Amino acid sequence: MDINFYKLHSTGSDFILCSYMHDEVPDMEALAEVAKLICRRRTGVGACGLLVVTPGIEHAAKLHYFPARDVEEEPPGDALICFGRYAFDSGMVSNSK
């Protein structure tokens, strides 16, 4: 499986971001397993978690967060900052009023 990703950093935390805005969205359960492997520091890319961006229903995009550890948690603030920067840089949002 090929995965295109970005590695983003914010205030000491790092995240892997995969965008499926224009591609078929993979199975979310499979992505949870991929997150555990790809986030490993010694054998993977290394990160605190995996961020997956998909098309949203109410909004332009939806953010899915898969932590490196096998626990359910909300995305930390650093992850949201990284997503916001990606959304701005990729043109999903603009600074015009």
Side-chain angles (χ1 to χ4, degrees), residues 8-11 15 51 76-87:
L8 306 167
H9 301 263
S10 174
T11 62
F15 300 94
L51 305 174
D78 294 350
L80 300 176
I81 291 169
C82 289
F83 169 66
R85 181 58 193 240
Y86 171 80

Side-chain angles (χ1 to χ4, degrees), residues 4-80:
N4 295 319
F5 66 90
Y6 300 90
K7 186 164 181 185
L8 306 167
H9 301 263
S10 174
T11 62
S13 298
D14 54 348
F15 300 94
I16 298 167
L17 185 141
C18 298
S19 176
Y20 291 98
M21 292 299 290
H22 305 291
D23 299 321
E24 183 179 341
V25 179
D27 178 45
M28 290 297 164
E29 288 181 20
L31 284 175
E33 292 303 314
V34 167
K36 293 176 198 172
L37 298 172
I38 199 170
C39 290
R40 289 183 182 163
R41 298 267 177 210
R42 296 184 190 267
T43 59
V45 175
C48 296
L50 174 66
L51 305 174
V52 176
V53 182
T54 61
I57 296 172
E58 294 181 23
H59 304 285
K62 181 173 181 174
L63 178 67
H64 305 270
Y65 175 64
F66 300 96
R69 301 180 316 272
D70 195 17
V71 295
E72 283 191 34
E73 59 185 53
E74 293 293 316
D78 294 350
L80 300 176

Side-chain angles (χ1 to χ4, degrees), residues 82-97:
C82 289
F83 169 66
R85 181 58 193 240
Y86 171 80
F88 181 79
D89 288 348
S90 66
M92 279 191 236
V93 296
S94 68
N95 61 358
S96 63
K97 293 181 181 182

